[in-house]
Amino acid sequence: MIQSLLEGFGNVLSISTILLILGGTILGLIFGSIPGLTATMAVAICLPITYGMNPIAGMSLLMGLYIGGVSGGLIPAILLKLPGTPSSIATTFDGYPLAQKGEAGKAFSFAIIASFLGGLVSILLLIMVAPPLGQVALKFGPYEYFAIVIFSLTLIASLSGDSLPKGILSGLLGIGFAMVGSAPIDAFPRFTFGISAFDAGFDLMPVLIGLFAISEILLVAEKRGYQALKVNIKKINYKVPLKEYLEEKWNFVRSAAIGIGIGILPGIGGGTANLIAYAAAKNSAKKPEEYGKGTPGGVVASETSNNAAIGGALIPLMSLGIPGDTVTAMLLGGLVLHGLQPGPLLIQNNAPVVYGIFAALLIANVFMAILLFAGMRGFVRLLSIPQYILLPIIMTLCVVGAYGVNNRMFDVYALLFFGLIGYLMLKVRIPLTPLVLGFILGPLLETNLRRGLMLSQGDFMPFVTQPIAALFLLVTVVSVGWKIYKSFKAKQKMKESNEKVAYDN
Amino acid sequence: MVQSKVDFITGGVIAAVAAIMFIMTFSFEEFAGAGVGVGVEFMPRVIAVLMLITAVVIMINAYRNRDKQIKVIDGETGLEVEEEDPNSKNYKKLSISLGAMIIYAILTPFIGFLLSSILYLITQMFILSDNDKKKLIVIGTISIVMSVIVYFIFRNVFYVMLPQGIIG
């Protein structure tokens, strides 16, 4: 294996390929940092450019785009509270408060180091376990996936703030919106109101950009005198003592494991991983009340997990030909374009290309960290651009991003629709994040439920009797029960203190 | 408006949406005697019923808390939300912005991305800058330059075929 990897490096270490990786990483970072433009779009747009290249060079460029695209999202997440990509949603929760406290530099340091290490660990794991793990995942069927999706959905509970019903409602709305269009499996149109434009359903891109970017512009428009932050660039301190990094080591390990684990699961990627890792970090933190107010732990959890999801998502892609998220679906297309047959035989038949891809990932990961550190001061300058200039420009980029997904205006209208929905939800204080989780996971839930029922001839029993599925459902029940118990306890405590106040008066 | 009142109305609206959703599932097409397991209408019904239940729970909670000044905690940040000052609202600016966005989306296929973006950018920046006429020259310049840059980069470098409209 070591020898294969060295051969892989040998194949990648030519000036032109290195330049392609560097260019890909820079472009990926730019796409990742502009809200509305994502790694998926970067890969999709560059795919045609790689036609003329040899497979290793072409795939190297795409790997640079992937790493850069996932990592670039941390820049606007920290500076502008706008997730540049779905992978950085949770980075906004603590990164932005940190930046507002004047500690943008610190947030950057943590985010970049977490991204680099998360990516490194996951890529190394990918190189080591892709073949054997593929063998196990081969045995996963619809029952197991159904149970895993149910488990992921219940994490909504930890992301819903004070009101559990509102969080659940948001998640249900997400599942509902995902149902518009052709049904999974038999493709009958649902909730299309007879309009053919609705047949393909809502694309994730306009939903995300609309909810998180457009709603923000509308909120700013509503609030009078909302001005740009005046941050003195010279005063920002990027240095963080080693001790502070080390304090987050368990958080890092947990988030990396979550990122890799979720990345491996087909259909879910960095966009879900960062939210779940954030929730997990908050739940097991010594001071969970600091989360959301600007603690480095939140940034570490989010940025570690989203980069760790890269290696995770590539594991099923390389070993089985199953894409773990939208970007790897694009990469799958890239492999096919270059005449490589994805599937369990890929590593066996095309070892030089596969190990070349591994080497390219490691190199791109280093480029990413260097580029971000070197360009940090430039990124911080974004803060001094007044919001009245930046937000409308972001709007036009959102329109481009939404339109570019499928080259159709429908996605732009969907963008506005979800912008309005997001704004209304923020106004009545329904959290947005569970909606995203529901939107991504809903179709998976339904597909696997129906597939499982077809397999079992309509019998629901295998969902609870298959060991792996049963285990996940059990964990789900326990974690939900725990959450309800905890919130019940908290409510009682609040009641007691209220009564005491009443008595004292 | 008190949060509990907002919650009550929200719950009511969602309950109505869920009911409509449930009724709509009866008009779904399907194969006669479609395969085994559950059909296309199963999941939407489950979700609609769950939505209805959740909405009713939210309404009940809101009703029980109707007189109380409840603490509101932001779902994403876990921070306690300050009660907003009604005087800080600017619904006029909001509705003009929303209108500008809608007109932008409608106009784009007809007059092209470039022209519609310039018009939108100028309008939106002007509104957000609190109608500061002194900034109009800066705003106009930035709008035109940015629209041209975005349009040409995406058309010629990334091959996103943005609508050309009449200028094509």
Side-chain angles (χ1 to χ4, degrees), chain A residues 34-313:
Chain A
I34 298 175
L37 307 185
T38 62
T40 313
M41 197 182 160
V43 173
I45 286 165
C46 288
L47 214 48
I49 306 172
T50 70
Y51 283 160
M53 302 174 192
N54 69 54
I56 293 178
M59 291 310 289
S60 296
L61 172 69
L62 298 183
M63 292 304 143
L65 287 169
Y66 190 9
I67 299 242
V70 171
S71 311
L74 66 89
I75 303 163
I78 290 171
L79 293 182
L80 301 167
K81 206 187 167 189
L82 293 169
T85 66
S87 302
S88 302
I89 295 170
T91 311
T92 61
F93 302 168
D94 278 296
Y96 185 66
L98 269 173
Q100 289 211 304
K101 283 194 267 177
E103 296 183 25
K106 189 176 176 182
F108 271 131
S109 302
F110 271 104
I112 296 168
I113 288 173
S115 295
F116 173 74
L117 291 176
L120 184 69
V121 169
S122 77
I123 297 163
L124 291 177
L125 195 79
L126 161 74
I127 297 169
M128 283 187 287
V129 305
L133 212 77
Q135 299 292 323
V136 180
L138 261 177
K139 291 179 187 135
F140 271 34
Y143 310 125
E144 285 78 12
Y145 279 128
F146 179 78
I148 290 167
V149 173
I150 288 276
F151 174 67
S152 308
L153 275 173
T154 57
L155 284 154
I156 285 171
S158 8
L159 294 167
S160 49
D162 64 329
S163 167
L164 192 59
K166 281 187 182 173
I168 294 170
L169 184 69
S170 175
L172 290 170
L173 281 173
I175 300 176
F177 280 125
M179 280 173 179
V180 174
S182 303
I185 297 179
D186 41 20
F188 279 104
R190 296 189 295 198
F191 304 116
T192 57
F193 303 95
I195 302 164
S196 60
F198 279 101
D199 283 351
F202 294 115
D203 199 278
L204 178 62
M205 206 80 76
V207 174
L208 272 176
I209 316 171
L211 282 179
F212 286 93
I214 306 293
S215 66
E216 185 73 20
I217 300 173
L218 290 174
L219 271 185
V220 170
E222 185 203 302
K223 285 178 192 149
R224 191 181 293 155
Y226 195 106
Q227 284 300 320
L229 277 167
K230 297 265 188 292
V231 173
N232 192 340
I233 298 166
K234 279 170 198 158
K235 268 190 188 163
I236 288 178
N237 182 14
Y238 299 108
K239 288 200 184 85
V240 178
L242 188 66
K243 202 177 137 251
E244 280 192 46
Y245 289 121
L246 288 176
E247 270 170 24
E248 300 297 337
K249 59 182 182 293
W250 293 116
N251 182 6
F252 167 78
V253 172
R254 186 190 325 107
S255 307
I258 291 173
I260 294 169
I262 287 175
I264 291 171
L265 300 176
I268 331 175
T272 318
N274 73 95
L275 296 173
I276 293 175
Y278 182 85
K282 188 178 172 181
N283 284 341
S284 45
K286 276 183 210 134
K287 292 176 188 162
E289 70 277 2
E290 282 188 358
Y291 276 69
K293 292 177 189 165
T295 177
V299 176
V300 170
S302 172
E303 284 305 318
T304 306
S305 62
N306 64 22
N307 282 68
I310 295 177

Side-chain angles (χ1 to χ4, degrees), chain A residues 166 190 222 388 429 433, chain B residues 3 7 40 76-77 90 135:
Chain A
K166 281 187 182 173
R190 296 189 295 198
E222 185 203 302
Y388 71 86
R429 289 176 182 145
T433 331
Chain B
Q3 183 64 30
D7 284 357
V40 285
E76 267 137 35
T77 60
N90 201 332
K135 287 181 181 139

